[in-house]
Amino acid sequence: MQVTTIGLDLAKNVFQVHGIAEDDAVVFNRPLRRAQVLPFFKKLEPCLIGMESCSSAHHWARELTALGHDVRLIPPMYVKPYVKSGQSDAIDAEAICEVVTRPTMRFVAIKTVEQQSLLSLHRARDLLVRQRTQLINGLRGLVAEFGIYISRGLARVIGFADDVTLGEFLDLPDIANEVIRNLSEHLMALHKRVRWYEERLKQVAKEDERVRLLRTIPGVGAVTASAIIASIGDGHQFRIGREFVAWLGLTPANKSNGGKEKLGRITKMGDQYLRRLLVVGMTSLVRQTRSHPERASKWLTSLFERKPARVATVAMANKTARIVWAVLTRNEPHCQSAAA
């Protein structure tokens, strides 16, 4: 009996495969060791394979696509409603097999090795930035216990740590000076690594034509542009700009019922990292607009008059995401897209 559809539940070592025939009869539902996965699929005729989109899903999707199979990645939240009572790998694989055949299901585009390599820069930078923030908060709290106040802001804390590292001693016991010096050295090393990642991202931005196109959009810098390219590529997996905005979680939640339309807060679904970068970029644009109101557009000025700053920032991020999709799909700078 020829297998037409397979649900593959990914794991670290033991995978579960659920295969059905054209008449929906179950052909197999069995576990596979990691080393058995590729030999198992090599023996099968090309078929439809569904997998949850997770950390290793893109790697396995590329490998199975190279064998001639039609591989589709599914957001885990769309698989959950199809899971029957109980929890096991066999039940999960069966649910994935069911979901992948739904005609209206939304799938995740398979990332290339180059996209994942670029994303690795962003993931590592984001990790170090969070560690640096934790260290800064710890250092400010520690010295505050001795009556030393460090003003808020990255530059001021880095300046304090740099002075301590260069040999400045505080009027404190030796133990306290040693602890503060060690934390300061650690902070300076982290800051140096973060700067290296930022410079590497800027170098990538200069080499990629699509990143240069996105940087023509106000509020979109090298980090945001490269993260977008690494995440969605050319953007053609989205039919319209609103689909991209919804994927980012920047659209209001629809809670309409009984013919009454009710829109709530933004859904915050999708890629949290991209959403945060866009909102931070728009926050920077808001500060520039307040400093130079003559440079602001009429739409932005009227938005500030009607809405609070944070609401306006999210609304700007929504609009910018639509512009990003238009620039990518049309392959032309923002000014030309706006004129068109």
Side-chain angles (χ1 to χ4, degrees):
M1 188 178 296
Q2 184 176 353
V3 179
T4 59
T5 308
I6 294 178
L8 177 59
D9 185 41
L10 300 176
K12 294 180 180 178
N13 296 312
V14 180
F15 298 23
Q16 189 78 22
V17 288
H18 180 92
I20 61 174
E22 190 172 1
D23 59 354
D24 292 337
V26 178
V27 180
F28 53 75
N29 192 338
R30 53 168 293 193
L32 293 174
R33 302 293 296 182
R34 185 182 183 89
Q36 298 173 326
V37 174
L38 290 181
F40 175 81
F41 282 99
K42 285 180 181 178
K43 299 177 182 178
L44 298 178
E45 293 293 327
C47 59
L48 175 63
I49 301 176
M51 296 185 293
E52 286 184 325
S53 178
C54 60
S55 59
S56 62
H58 295 277
H59 164 72
W60 289 110
R62 290 191 299 266
E63 294 290 333
L64 297 179
T65 300
L67 297 179
H69 298 287
D70 180 13
V71 183
R72 300 179 185 177
L73 302 182
I74 312 164
M77 62 175 297
Y78 293 157
V79 178
K80 189 175 182 180
Y82 290 84
V83 176
K84 297 177 181 177
S85 59
Q87 179 69 38
S88 69
D89 293 341
I91 293 176
D92 291 344
E94 182 182 357
I96 295 171
C97 189
E98 173 68 21
V99 174
V100 76
T101 60
R102 297 303 88 200
T104 59
M105 183 53 57
R106 299 172 183 174
F107 301 104
V108 178
I110 300 173
K111 291 183 175 62
T112 63
V113 177
E114 289 74 20
Q115 283 181 283
Q116 287 192 294
S117 298
L118 183 53
L119 273 178
S120 67
L121 277 176
H122 287 274
R123 297 290 183 261
R125 173 187 172 275
D126 186 50
L127 172 64
L128 293 184
V129 167
R130 285 187 279 113
Q131 290 179 347
R132 184 181 65 182
T133 302
Q134 292 175 346
L135 189 55
I136 286 175
N137 292 337
L139 181 61
R140 292 182 75 245
L142 181 64
V143 298
E145 295 181 3
F146 296 100
I148 301 173
Y149 175 73
I150 305 176
S151 301
R152 295 179 61 181
L154 176 63
R156 293 181 176 87
V157 180
I158 293 298
F160 173 84
D162 190 30
D163 292 340
V164 172
T165 303
L166 292 177
E168 179 180 339
F169 282 89
L170 306 175
D171 187 16
L172 299 174
D174 292 341
I175 295 179
N177 270 308
E178 290 175 2
V179 171
I180 294 172
R181 184 172 62 253
N182 285 333
L183 289 178
S184 298
E185 291 174 353
H186 187 27
L187 175 58
M188 295 303 298
L190 269 179
H191 183 63
K192 183 178 180 181
R193 299 310 301 172
V194 171
R195 294 295 299 272
W196 180 89
Y197 281 108
E198 291 174 349
E199 292 299 323
R200 189 68 180 89
L201 285 172
K202 291 179 181 179
Q203 181 181 349
V204 172
K206 294 178 181 179
E207 299 170 355
D208 196 314
E209 176 63 26
R210 295 171 299 178
V211 174
R212 291 199 292 269
L213 287 177
L214 291 182
R215 294 191 67 183
T216 61
I217 304 173
V220 177
V223 175
T224 303
S226 59
I228 292 172
I229 295 300
S231 300
I232 68 171
D234 56 11
H236 285 289
Q237 64 268 40
F238 304 103
R239 293 184 298 109
I240 56 177
R242 192 184 185 284
E243 285 190 358
F244 176 49
V245 177
W247 180 76
L248 287 173
L250 288 170
T251 53
N254 192 335
K255 300 180 180 179
S256 305
N257 190 18
K260 297 181 180 180
E261 185 177 1
K262 183 179 180 181
L263 301 178
R265 299 181 178 181
I266 60 173
T267 61
K268 294 187 179 180
M269 299 172 64
D271 196 315
Q272 179 183 0
Y273 179 67
L274 281 185
R275 185 172 62 252
R276 184 171 75 245
L277 288 178
L278 282 172
V279 172
V280 169
M282 295 307 106
T283 303
S284 176
L285 189 60
V286 166
R287 292 176 179 173
Q288 295 177 16
T289 301
R290 287 178 173 174
S291 302
H292 304 280
E294 69 280 358
R295 302 178 185 177
S297 63
K298 294 181 179 179
W299 176 83
L300 189 56
T301 303
S302 63
L303 184 63
F304 286 148
E305 294 174 353
R306 294 180 286 111
K307 300 292 183 180
R310 178 54 64 192
V311 176
T313 301
V314 175
M316 291 168 60
N318 183 309
K319 183 176 181 180
T320 302
R322 295 170 187 257
I323 298 174
V324 164
W325 178 85
V327 168
L328 282 179
T329 53
R330 297 176 186 177
N331 197 28
E332 56 187 31
H334 166 50
C335 54
Q336 296 180 13
S337 299

